[in-house]
Amino acid sequence: MILTDEQKAILNGEKGETLSKVLQTVIRYGELFGAEKLVPITSEYNHLVTSFGLKALGPVYDLMNQLIEAGAVSGQKFSVDPRPLDPNVPKNFLQNFIFNHFMYSKQDFYEDQLNKLGLMDKDAFSCTCYMDEVGNKPKKGDVLSWAESSAVVYANSVLGARCNRKSGIIDIMGSVVGYVPYFGLLTDEGRKATWVVEIKTTKKPEAQLLGSAIGMKVMEAVPYVKGLDKWLGNELDDAACTYLKDFGAATASNGAVGLYHIDGLTPEAKESGEALIAENAKVYVIDDAELQRVYDNYPIIWKNPDAKPKLCFMGCPHMSLEQLKTWTDKVEAGLKKAGNAKVVIPTVFTAAPAVIKEFEKTPYAARLKATGVIVSYICPLMYMNNPLCGKMPVITSSNKLRTYTTARYYTDDEILVQITGGKK
Ligand code: F3S
């Protein structure tokens, strides 16, 4: 790896032994991927994926302590993934006991470490850190050291920033030393699409289902999606960004997509169009039947497949302000149609603390509360990691949550019918 004089000085310990070790780690990680140089991180803020004070993460706390004690704190302030616990989310006595004594008993301790390391503010806990309300929104061309897969794919694709997918520890190391290895999605060549996806559906495809289909087909490759602008338009307005947030999270979790281009919509596709497609790119055609095939093939891993759902989670990744508002309208209308006053399945909508604050300033908040829906800043995945919660029949329209937990996927329309008690 070719290093600059400044990087050589860090490596030689001129800024302390700890920073030298951190740089060595970043170099080794880059060498594994054939990187020949390091480039500076240029975003204003970083984002960390490790937000949870899990009891079993002793080595991470030791590492964080070493960094803090050596003054090797993050060069950038950062946001972090959602908190794993929220008292407002329903749980029984035993589940609560396990959360507090066996799982996230180090939460306060860890949050104190995050503060010392450079947390943006006490409420900067969300995977949708790029939303205006949260304030960690990279600019086009910014080089990042992020690890949260749903945020990485959004930053690369919708914002035009540059970031490779990596582990949480490498994310912190990059942020502390201020450099990341130059390879993959940081390079123009690495951002070329090796798959062309042609959308030929008769209606707007469900974001989370389409993302799942594409993710499972292309895995870690870059897809160039044609025909979606017919349904989303050619402007990145709130509705399009919300759709792409959910679509991207599904591509990243059901496959390992770190960047996609949407013809006529995302910044690089608007600029360069089909010049972004690599030679000999493969083609994947998606029509109604293909989406149905994908949906029908999801395994149902509930012990009793006919069990009545005990909980519904919406908002993985966290919901946007526009999503909270449109879902308020939808839930109200669904309840009216079904002749019910409140949701018939305990339902939690999750969003960033800063988005919830804004939502609470609108009349929608009281309306949603009246339907019985709970709004929370929790990460549903952290909740489902509790073995007792994992045994419960939980429903969701998040394909990320379906992939990593026992939660069962339904489309948005199906979820609405279930939680409002309407007729299937
Ligand atoms: Fe966000 Fe947690 Fe889902 S980090 S994407 S809410 S798994």
Side-chain angles (χ1 to χ4, degrees):
M1 179 137 357
I2 301 156
L3 300 179
T4 62
D5 289 345
E6 193 190 339
Q7 291 159 358
K8 281 182 198 156
I10 297 173
L11 197 61
N12 292 336
E14 286 178 27
K15 292 196 177 170
E17 195 192 337
T18 305
L19 209 57
S20 166
K21 281 189 190 159
V22 170
L23 186 61
Q24 282 175 44
T25 311
V26 173
I27 290 172
R28 274 191 210 155
Y29 152 69
E31 282 172 347
L32 282 177
F33 291 92
E36 290 177 355
K37 64 176 180 178
L38 301 175
V39 289
I41 294 169
T42 58
S43 59
E44 186 177 359
Y45 299 110
N46 190 29
H47 180 80
L48 301 192
V49 70
T50 38
S51 57
F52 41 91
L54 202 61
K55 200 175 177 183
L57 286 185
V60 173
Y61 308 133
D62 290 349
L63 173 74
M64 299 275 272
N65 256 346
Q66 278 185 42
L67 293 174
I68 293 162
E69 277 167 18
V73 292
S74 177
Q76 304 163 285
K77 294 272 180 195
F78 54 80
S79 50
V80 62
D81 264 3
R83 291 188 167 104
L85 295 173
D86 176 355
N88 293 323
V89 176
K91 52 189 123 25
N92 63 32
F93 175 79
L94 267 181
Q95 289 168 338
N96 202 28
F97 186 78
I98 289 187
F99 275 131
N100 289 315
H101 295 275
F102 292 97
M103 294 184 70
Y104 305 119
S105 56
K106 304 283 275 183
Q107 190 62 25
D108 290 346
F109 169 81
Y110 184 59
E111 286 193 21
D112 186 49
Q113 284 193 323
L114 289 174
N115 273 321
K116 288 179 179 150
L117 203 67
L119 187 65
M120 281 167 72
D121 68 69
K122 68 174 176 39
D123 276 341
F125 284 84
S126 174
C127 45
T128 58
C129 60
Y130 45 77
M131 285 182 179
D132 289 337
E133 297 84 356
V134 188
N136 180 0
K137 188 175 198 165
K139 296 186 294 301
K140 184 163 182 289
D142 269 351
V143 173
L144 321 177
S145 178
W146 292 9
E148 163 53 45
S149 65
S150 68
V152 168
V153 74
Y154 188 93
N156 273 321
S157 315
V158 182
L159 304 177
R162 296 194 170 213
C163 184
N164 282 311
R165 287 180 58 137
K166 56 180 83 62
S167 75
I169 296 300
I170 292 293
D171 166 358
I172 298 176
M173 298 288 166
S175 178
V176 165
V177 78
Y179 295 106
V180 283
Y182 185 70
F183 71 95
L185 298 179
L186 263 55
T187 69
D188 288 345
E189 203 46 39
R191 295 176 78 83
K192 289 223 164 141
T194 50
W195 276 90
V196 174
V197 179
E198 295 176 2
I199 308 293
K200 298 197 169 157
T201 52
T202 56
K203 56 182 193 311
K204 184 177 174 181
E206 188 86 5
Q208 299 258 8
L209 192 54
L210 180 65
S212 163
I214 296 176
M216 286 196 279
K217 175 65 84 180
V218 312
M219 294 313 292
E220 75 285 351
V222 177
Y224 187 96
V225 184
K226 290 186 188 175
L228 194 55
D229 56 339
K230 174 179 167 193
W231 303 106
L232 301 187
N234 297 99
E235 294 305 323
L236 285 169
D237 55 14
D238 279 355
C241 289
T242 294
Y243 184 100
L244 293 178
K245 160 185 79 78
D246 290 337
F247 162 82
T251 66
S253 56
N254 285 221
V257 173
L259 163 69
Y260 57 81
H261 301 294
I262 308 290
D263 193 41
L265 183 58
T266 52
E268 284 158 73
K270 269 190 143 177
E271 248 173 45
S272 310
E274 297 195 9
L276 286 170
I277 302 171
E279 249 178 69
N280 301 322
K282 294 182 209 138
V283 177
Y284 177 34
V285 178
I286 297 187
D287 54 13
D288 298 342
E290 174 61 359
L291 287 182
Q292 192 62 44
R293 183 195 66 78
V294 170
Y295 182 98
D296 291 342
N297 276 299
Y298 292 147
I300 297 160
I301 46 179
W302 288 0
K303 207 169 171 187
N304 171 11
D306 300 320
K308 182 175 177 330
K310 279 211 166 132
L311 189 62
C312 169
F313 269 124
M314 298 288 285
C316 168
H318 275 172
M319 290 168 102
S320 64
L321 187 57
E322 105 114 36
Q323 232 169 349
L324 284 171
K325 288 179 181 173
T326 50
W327 269 92
T328 303
D329 290 335
K330 286 208 260 187
V331 174
E332 277 181 345
L335 286 173
K336 198 169 165 203
K337 197 168 158 200
N340 288 321
K342 285 190 183 287
V343 286
V344 297
I345 297 169
T347 298
V348 180
F349 287 180
T350 65
V355 170
I356 296 175
K357 247 183 219 163
E358 286 308 309
F359 181 63
E360 280 169 353
K361 290 179 193 162
T362 72
Y364 287 88
R367 285 170 46 196
L368 186 62
K369 195 170 179 200
T371 69
V373 170
I374 295 161
V375 178
S376 165
Y377 49 74
I378 201 172
C379 166
L381 178 58
M382 306 281 156
Y383 176 95
M384 295 295 290
N385 279 345
N386 181 329
L388 294 183
C389 299
K391 281 187 183 154
M392 284 189 339
V394 173
I395 58 170
T396 182
S397 73
S398 162
N399 236 320
K400 180 169 181 181
L401 199 61
R402 175 195 71 78
T403 305
Y404 293 129
T405 73
T406 54
R408 188 159 165 185
Y409 172 83
Y410 288 97
T411 63
D412 282 350
D413 286 349
E414 289 169 331
I415 291 273
L416 185 63
V417 168
Q418 293 211 45
I419 62 176
T420 55
K423 284 208 179 71
K424 289 181 191 169

